[in-house]
Amino acid sequence: MRILINTLFLLCILLTSGCKEDEYVYPSVLTEFTDIRSDKSGKLSEIISDNGNKYIINERTGLEGFTPDSVYRTLSIFEPEESNKATLYSCQFVFSMKPQPADFFKNGIKTDPLDIQRIWQSGNYINMVLTIQGKDKPHVFHFVEEGISDNTLSITIYHDQNGDYKAFGKDVYISIPLWQYDGILNKGDKIKVNINTFKEGMTFREFEF
């Protein structure tokens, strides 16, 4: 059963936490957006890379207490081993919710500006590192499905500043899941991601399914 980490409506990305450790000099590791699966006891048990590689997580403390049999989207630091195992050093949960149609947002759609540091496609996701301007209030994110036209799916980034002061920049990590469009979109169809930015105004980035 696939369950995204953000099971609450419009969960605020700035409140996310993860299985982080104190500052540490890591050995040769990978830093990637990944899926992490929990087992039936709620322990993080498997890393699934966007390229399809799977790694059993070596035993360590801090892996317990998660929803059983679930999949979490994370930014992970881990060291793979030849035996398809891996040591997980750190993971930060990434905002990743299924896009919803416009009528899902009863109070309207908000697109407060932010900036794009990086945006790319890997596996079944479109990943983003975005910079918001804020101080101490949680910002709200979601994905608005605008519909399909001319073989192009349009998705708008919902961002509610929530009255926060624009004091300094903070990076946030989000991933748009694409697996729910299997059987709806065909190979070669386009995905248009609309984002309101400080630098470009309302702009978009386009990807291929």
Side-chain angles (χ1 to χ4, degrees):
M1 177 175 62
R2 177 181 290 271
I3 300 178
L4 299 177
I5 178 60
N6 307 97
T7 55
L8 297 178
F9 170 60
L10 298 180
L11 187 66
C12 303
I13 193 170
L14 296 184
L15 297 182
T16 56
S17 59
C19 45
K20 296 181 181 179
E21 292 183 337
D22 295 333
E23 290 186 7
Y24 180 78
V25 178
Y26 299 123
S28 178
V29 297
L30 299 177
T31 301
E32 297 181 0
F33 279 47
T34 69
D35 288 346
I36 291 186
R37 188 183 303 277
S38 63
D39 62 20
K40 63 182 179 180
S41 70
K43 180 186 293 185
L44 300 183
S45 59
E46 185 179 41
I47 299 170
I48 307 168
S49 295
D50 285 351
N51 61 11
N53 291 336
K54 296 181 180 181
Y55 306 94
I56 301 300
I57 299 174
N58 290 327
E59 287 291 331
R60 50 154 286 187
T61 59
L63 301 178
E64 306 84 7
F66 297 87
T67 303
D69 295 321
S70 301
V71 177
Y72 294 83
R73 188 65 173 166
T74 70
L75 173 62
S76 295
I77 300 175
F78 63 99
E79 181 183 14
E81 300 174 1
E82 292 183 358
S83 57
N84 290 327
K85 293 185 177 182
T87 299
L88 179 64
Y89 292 103
S90 173
C91 65
Q92 177 176 338
F93 295 135
V94 171
F95 180 88
S96 186
M97 276 186 96
K98 291 174 62 175
Q100 298 291 340
D103 59 8
F104 177 83
F105 302 90
K106 303 305 182 183
N107 296 319
I109 296 169
K110 297 189 177 182
T111 57
D112 291 331
L114 40 73
D115 277 319
I116 304 169
Q117 293 301 321
R118 189 181 174 203
I119 179 169
W120 73 101
Q121 184 175 3
S122 61
N124 287 319
Y125 296 92
I126 295 174
N127 306 301
M128 284 166 269
V129 181
L130 305 174
T131 300
I132 61 172
Q133 293 295 321
K135 185 181 179 183
D136 54 11
K137 291 186 178 181
H139 293 215
V140 181
F141 286 86
H142 211 299
F143 309 124
V144 185
E145 183 182 294
E146 304 281 7
I148 300 174
S149 178
D150 297 326
N151 298 319
T152 299
L153 168 68
S154 183
I155 295 175
T156 295
I157 304 302
Y158 180 112
H159 172 221
D160 182 0
Q161 186 86 13
N162 196 26
D164 198 15
Y165 291 105
K166 297 181 177 67
F168 51 86
K170 301 178 183 179
D171 286 346
V172 295
Y173 306 92
I174 67 178
S175 290
I176 303 174
L178 302 178
W179 39 262
Q180 73 269 24
Y181 297 108
D182 288 344
I184 299 174
L185 295 177
N186 298 310
K187 184 176 176 59
D189 287 347
K190 304 296 183 182
I191 303 164
K192 181 181 177 184
V193 180
N194 307 298
I195 309 175
N196 188 22
T197 69
F198 289 108
K199 294 179 181 179
E200 303 176 56
M202 199 68 187
T203 186
F204 70 91
R205 301 292 187 271
E206 195 169 80
F207 300 88
E208 188 171 291
F209 187 71

